[in-house]
Amino acid sequence: MARRSTIALVPAAGALVVWIIFAVAAGAAFRGMEGTAAWLNAAAPLGILAVAVALLMIAGEFDLSVGSILGAAGMTVLLLTRHFGWSLWPAIGAAFALSALLGAANGWLVVRTRLPSFIITLGTLFIVRGATIGLTRQWTGRTQLGGLDGVPGYASAQALLASDLPGGLRVSVLWWLGAALAGAWVLGRTPAGNWILATGGAPAAARNAGVPTDRVKVSLFITTALAACLVGVIQAVRFTGADALRGEFQEFRAIVAVVIGGTLLTGGYGSVIGAVFGALIFGIVQQGTVMAGIDADWFQVMLGGMLVVAVISNDSVRRRLLARPAAPAPAPSDPAAAGRDAPDAVTAARGRTPDAQRVRADETGNAEPVLAAHDVTVTFSGVLALDRVSLALHAGRVTCLLGDNGAGKSTLIHVLSGVLRPAHGEVRFDGRPVQLTAPGDAIELGVATVYQNLALAPLMSVWRNVVLGAEPVRGRGPGRRIDREAANAAARAGVRTLGIGLENLEQPVGTLSGGERQAVAIARALRAGARVLILDEPTAALGMRQQTHVLNVIAKARDQGLAVLLVTHNPAHAWPVGDAFVVLRHGRVAAVRERNATDAADIARLMAGG
């Protein structure tokens, strides 16, 4: 929690420094209530936009169309009321509906085309702004419309959206405060916030963990569009008119405010409260330059300078976050002895002798498999990746899937985990054919997959990663939030069960060792009540001690009754824990061996093509 709070401390300190500078330069007028109200009122419209833009940028996307949607929303209200005779509230409702539709279109195009959102929304910016200008000029002969105060419903809209508060403040400041509190609640306390962080920090990993990343992104694009509409409607009501060009450059100012607030341009890390302080800095500088008598041209210079400093600072923060803390010095040991101890450690974790292992494999080998692939065939652009492959995974057994790079191992586990759908053949769970159309389908059945990339978001904390996709919650409806106590307890129990003593669960996963990250990924898989555990190259790029630890974890999972599939290209890692061995070669099953009918040398020979 302390680490998350630090994100907002830096922009808060920056806002204080900027305020002090202008308090000295602009004098008493800036420090008084009137001056304070001036920079708060100036910051409020940008602040509302910045809250929504921050959430979208944390999810790894940009929306350059918010400025044009802002102008279109205000003009929609004026056209419907002054030109087509609508009353005000139905016109406002239509503006929000149009904005939501534009946001949904942005999101749909981004997730369908997989093109950069910067390009998609830049195109939308020109389309919406051009259409606003063209249609307004065609229907009215002008690009500016007024007279909204004579429309039925104006008095109630003015009271709600554009009234003045004591001290010279505008009601838009309260709208800004409400948006900030709602955004901070969503990001910091709800499952949706966890999904936003994971979607921006590791989108492929989030999808593999069952997070609906496409839905998250589309929802956030709709949110930014609705925020832009709110600002456009507030300004139209306050000024009793609209301009087709209103909102120009607001998209860039919102991004600047969010970056100054500490959000990384690459996504996965940031804060709504930080974005609030970023907007506050913008308002202070904008009004401070005027009150201090500084030429307005220098405002852009100061804004650009703050952006550059913020980007450099944020990159430095990211590097510090991922810096591994110093570990205590290990006890002296003999490296050769560590290597000799590895098989013995695995055997101890299994809790039985090799003879007992073989008896158990024989006894369970004829049972109904928990998960099975039957005659699975997969092609990519006409290239055969899997050719009629069959595989069965039984409870309480470790099945090792071996093969060189390109043999088809990853393709097969993608089929079993719902990432890919086979062209032919079927997947069965407890003997029943199942349709796995997405990773979430497999997770619901109890199939947990730990991919080679671990499906972890490096900038997210240990506890957030462990509960990702299956967050424990309290409450219902809009008040539904993550149960932090239960989440921390689950994370601590999970990593300790697997032999990792992590005390700081707020520590970013990117700072952990390879073995520790494997344990976190497996802890998340097991926490979801898995019956099948699929591990893709879990010992790759690990040292001897970490490899031994991971093999121990695999043995413990099998002893808990799980059906385990260990995917590896290294027979030396498969033999200590394996009960059955399947060798893939060029997308076909080359050999199937039970442990009691083979030995380590035979497995190595089969791997080598013998």
Side-chain angles (χ1 to χ4, degrees), residues 412-425:
L412 180 57
I413 65 173
H414 284 163
V415 170
L416 295 174
S417 57
V419 176
L420 291 174
R421 297 186 66 179
H424 301 288

Side-chain angles (χ1 to χ4, degrees), residues 33 41 159 162-175 238:
M33 186 60 206
N41 291 334
S163 58
D164 292 324
L165 302 174
L169 291 174
R170 298 172 185 167
V171 74
S172 56
V173 175
L174 295 183
W175 281 99
R238 178 159 192 87

Side-chain angles (χ1 to χ4, degrees), residues 364-371 393-395 428 430-432:
T364 59
N366 295 324
E368 182 74 48
V370 181
L371 183 68
L393 306 180
H394 296 266
R428 296 178 184 173
D430 283 340
R432 297 177 292 102

Side-chain angles (χ1 to χ4, degrees), residues 50 75 93 121 231 233 237 341 443 463 481 492 496 511 523 529 545 560 604:
M75 190 56 72
T121 58
V231 175
V233 169
V237 173
D341 288 345
I443 291 171
W463 75 264
R481 64 194 186 279
R492 183 167 285 108
R496 283 183 175 173
T511 64
R545 289 184 180 276
Q560 293 171 8

Side-chain angles (χ1 to χ4, degrees), residues 295-388:
D295 193 311
D297 293 337
W298 291 102
F299 170 69
Q300 302 291 344
V301 175
M302 287 184 281
L303 199 61
M306 287 190 295
L307 176 61
V308 172
V309 171
V311 170
I312 295 172
S313 173
N314 292 350
D315 186 62
S316 174
V317 168
R318 181 186 62 81
R319 288 198 302 271
R320 285 200 304 271
L321 282 170
L322 294 177
R324 180 167 171 78
S333 62
D334 179 5
R340 290 194 302 269
D341 288 345
D344 294 338
V346 173
T347 302
R350 296 173 74 113
R352 53 188 187 273
T353 65
D355 288 339
Q357 295 166 16
R358 286 193 288 271
V359 168
R360 183 171 184 184
D362 289 340
E363 290 174 348
T364 59
N366 295 324
E368 182 74 48
V370 181
L371 183 68
H374 287 271
D375 292 333
V376 166
T377 299
V378 176
T379 59
F380 296 111
S381 302
V383 177
L384 200 60
L386 292 178
D387 185 9
R388 299 178 65 85

Side-chain angles (χ1 to χ4, degrees), residues 176-204:
W176 177 26
L177 178 62
L181 292 175
W185 169 271
V186 168
L187 185 64
R189 303 291 294 176
T190 69
N194 215 31
W195 297 356
I196 291 169
L197 289 164
T199 297

